[in-house]
Amino acid sequence: MLHYHQSLQSHFCWMKDFIGSPHSTLIELHGGCHCQLLSIDCLDTIDCLVIDPLTSVYEGIVIRDTIKKLAESWDFPINDIGGAPIGMSLQFLTIGVFREWLSKNQLPKGLYNRQEDFVNRTLYPYCVQKSLKGRKCFLNDFKSSEEVYGDIEKQAMDQKVKFHPAYQRNATERIKEFQKDPFNVSAYQYLMIFAQLSKITFNLRSHVHSIYNKRLQKIDNNIKKGASHAGKMLDLRIALHLRRGDACRHSLVDYAKVASPLDSPPQFSSHRLCYDTKVYMKALHRVQELAGPHRHITVYVATDHSQSLMDEIKLRFPDLYESMSWSYLDYSRDIFNYFGGQEIDVTTSFIESPQNKNKALLGETAIADIWHLSHGQVFIGHLGSRFGKMGWFQATARY
C-alpha cells in the first residue's frame, strides 16, 4: 500500500521493485504494471494488487523484529514534543527515532513517563495499575516484543514456519546494507524502512486495542463476498481520512469543491484547505470503478464527526453508500467540540489551545483513528495532515 499526497488525492500501489538507478522513482508492480512514484497516484494499477498478502505482511513483521534485535538499547527515553497533537508529535517522534537508529543503531527505551494534556491516565485502569502516564499509557516501549496483530497478520504468523528462516536472513542483510549506505538504496526501500520505524514507535498496548474494538462500528451494506481467485477472496480495504475541526477553522461550510493540483502551494496551519465530502466521494468512486464490480469494498473512515459524516454520505451519495461496507469508531461528537460553545478566535484556536477542555479524550480518539486507518490497502486523504501521514505509514508497514 502506498500513498503520498499534498492536496486531496487518492493513491494505491503495491510495489515489487525499482527500475534503474538507486534513486529512481519508477517502480515495477506485481503483474507487470509500472507507476511513477512522484505522481502520487498509482490507482490505475489496482489490478496488480497482491492476491495473497501474507508473504509481504510476514516480511514486515520480521523486519520490525530484526530491527529491534539488531539495535542496541539506549536506556534513556527519547525527548519529544508531548504537548503537541498526537499526529504531529508522533511524526516528529518517528523522525527522531529513525535518525538515532540510522546513525548509531540504537533504539531509545521509549517515551518519557510523564503526564500530558492529551492523556488522562485515570480513565484507564491498566495505566493506573502500571503507573503509566502520557502516551506511554497507549504505546509500548520501542523494543517491546509485544505487538498487536490484525486478522491478516495473525494468518501470516500462522504460516511462519513456511517463511522462516530465509526471511530472517534476508531481513538482517537488508537492514545492515541500509544502515551502511542509506543513500545507495531506492526511494521505495528508504520509505519502507522509515515506515517500519514508524510502526515500531506506534506500537499499541493491548488494552488500547480492546478499547478500539469496543468503539468499532460496522455497516455491512454490501454483504456479498469478494470475487474468488484461486480460492482467495478479493476484498479491498480503503482508508478514508477527512479533515475537519480545527483544520477547517471549525467551519462546517465553505469547503473547497475540487481537489487541489499536485503543484499547488504547501498548506500550513495558518492557511490550509478543507474539502467538501463530494471531493472525497469522487476519489472513492474512482477506486470503486477501477477495482471492478466483483470486489467487496470496506471503507475505514476517520474524521472528527464519524456518525454525522455517515449520515451525510447516506443522504447525499446513496448509491455509493449502499454499494460498500463501512467501518468507523463511535465517539460522541461532543468530544470534538473543543471549546464547549464559548466564543473563540478561529484563526488561533486549535486542538492544542489552552481553551480546549477535551484534550484528554482526544488523545484516545487520535490513537484509535490512526490504528483504524492502518487497515487500508488504499488511502484517500490529505497530504497536509500529519495525522493522515501517520495512518498511511502504519498501513504501509503493516501491509
Side-chain angles (χ1 to χ4, degrees):
M1 196 281 284
L2 178 65
H3 136 84
Y4 204 72
H5 45 255
Q6 171 169 345
S7 53
L8 180 71
Q9 296 280 348
S10 51
H11 191 158
F12 166 87
C13 285
W14 200 287
M15 277 64 66
K16 178 181 180 183
D17 204 355
F18 267 78
I19 303 172
S21 70
H23 305 292
S24 172
T25 56
L26 182 64
I27 51 178
E28 178 183 350
L29 302 121
H30 292 280
C33 298
H34 297 84
C35 179
Q36 173 53 252
L37 182 61
L38 293 180
S39 73
I40 66 129
D41 190 347
C42 294
L43 277 174
D44 288 339
T45 63
I46 200 166
D47 285 340
C48 293
L49 174 66
V50 176
I51 301 303
D52 183 357
L54 297 185
T55 301
S56 59
V57 169
Y58 185 75
E59 182 182 36
I61 294 173
V62 171
I63 289 176
R64 292 193 293 277
D65 181 65
T66 304
I67 288 175
K68 294 177 184 179
K69 288 180 178 178
L70 292 178
E72 298 178 2
S73 294
W74 181 21
D75 291 334
F76 299 98
I78 189 170
N79 195 12
D80 67 305
I81 49 176
I86 295 294
M88 176 189 294
S89 61
L90 286 175
Q91 182 179 9
F92 285 114
L93 171 66
T94 300
I95 293 172
V97 171
F98 178 77
R99 288 176 173 172
E100 185 69 25
W101 172 79
L102 188 58
S103 63
K104 301 177 182 178
N105 191 34
Q106 291 183 340
L107 285 178
K109 182 178 181 180
L111 296 163
Y112 272 105
N113 192 31
R114 63 187 179 193
Q115 185 59 42
E116 300 175 16
D117 290 342
F118 285 97
V119 183
N120 181 357
R121 62 187 294 267
T122 63
L123 299 177
Y124 311 100
Y126 177 87
C127 300
V128 174
Q129 179 184 0
K130 300 294 183 180
S131 299
L132 299 174
K133 302 176 183 178
R135 279 167 295 157
K136 202 173 181 69
C137 171
F138 295 153
L139 304 174
N140 283 304
D141 286 345
F142 301 148
K143 293 197 71 173
S144 172
S145 59
E146 179 185 348
E147 182 173 339
V148 171
Y149 292 142
D151 291 339
I152 296 178
E153 291 154 315
K154 291 177 181 177
Q155 294 175 35
M157 289 298 291
D158 289 341
Q159 298 191 30
K160 64 182 179 180
V161 175
K162 171 184 175 182
F163 297 127
H164 237 61
Y167 274 65
Q168 187 73 60
R169 292 196 301 269
N170 291 340
T172 300
E173 293 173 1
R174 286 177 57 187
I175 292 167
K176 289 183 176 180
E177 178 184 354
F178 181 84
Q179 288 181 312
K180 182 179 179 180
D181 191 0
F183 298 106
N184 196 37
V185 299
S186 67
Y188 166 58
Q189 291 170 318
Y190 199 100
L191 186 63
M192 289 301 295
I193 292 294
F194 184 85
Q196 297 300 345
L197 263 296
S198 176
K199 180 66 180 72
I200 287 173
T201 60
F202 187 83
N203 187 6
L204 284 189
R205 294 189 184 274
S206 57
H207 82 96
V208 181
H209 191 245
S210 298
I211 293 172
Y212 167 84
N213 285 329
K214 291 179 181 178
R215 293 287 186 177
L216 189 62
Q217 298 292 315
K218 298 179 180 180
I219 303 173
D220 292 322
N221 289 330
N222 183 4
I223 59 175
K224 69 182 181 185
K225 293 294 183 179
S228 176
H229 181 89
K232 303 294 182 180
M233 306 309 295
L234 298 186
D235 292 351
L236 186 63
R237 302 183 306 278
I238 301 174
L240 176 63
H241 175 223
L242 281 80
R243 291 187 93 176
R244 294 294 185 257
D246 66 333
C248 310
R249 297 190 175 190
H250 306 280
S251 174
L252 298 177
V253 295
D254 298 327
Y255 297 146
K257 304 301 182 183
V258 295
S260 302
L262 181 60
D263 59 355
S264 60
Q267 297 182 22
F268 303 98
S269 296
S270 58
H271 179 72
R272 50 188 175 185
L273 295 176
C274 287
Y275 299 86
D276 190 271
T277 303
K278 74 174 183 179
V279 181
Y280 294 90
M281 294 302 102
K282 181 179 179 180
L284 189 57
H285 180 65
R286 181 182 170 208
V287 174
Q288 184 182 46
E289 287 188 325
L290 291 169
H294 304 299
R295 289 184 188 266
H296 177 208
I297 295 177
T298 299
V299 184
Y300 289 75
V301 178
T303 189
D304 281 3
H305 307 143
S306 294
Q307 184 57 64
S308 60
L309 174 67
M310 295 312 305
D311 293 340
E312 179 188 1
I313 295 174
K314 184 177 181 180
L315 178 65
R316 295 179 59 192
F317 311 95
D319 291 343
L320 201 61
Y321 177 85
E322 294 292 342
S323 65
M324 300 179 182
S325 293
W326 305 81
S327 178
Y328 64 95
L329 300 181
D330 183 19
Y331 283 101
S332 169
R333 185 167 181 170
D334 291 340
I335 295 175
F336 303 98
N337 181 13
Y338 306 161
F339 308 106
Q342 61 182 299
E343 187 174 345
I344 60 174
D345 180 357
V346 296
T347 63
T348 60
S349 299
F350 302 111
I351 188 173
E352 64 270 32
S353 300
Q355 307 100 302
N356 183 0
K357 306 303 181 183
N358 290 334
K359 287 183 182 178
L361 293 174
L362 288 167
E364 177 189 314
T365 65
I367 292 289
D369 267 336
I370 290 174
W371 176 253
H372 195 56
L373 290 173
S374 77
H375 290 77
Q377 297 164 285
V378 179
F379 190 99
I380 299 174
H382 194 301
L383 178 64
S385 170
R386 292 187 177 96
F387 183 89
K389 289 177 191 173
M390 283 304 302
W392 175 77
F393 275 126
Q394 301 308 304
T396 299
R398 292 182 67 193
Y399 302 117

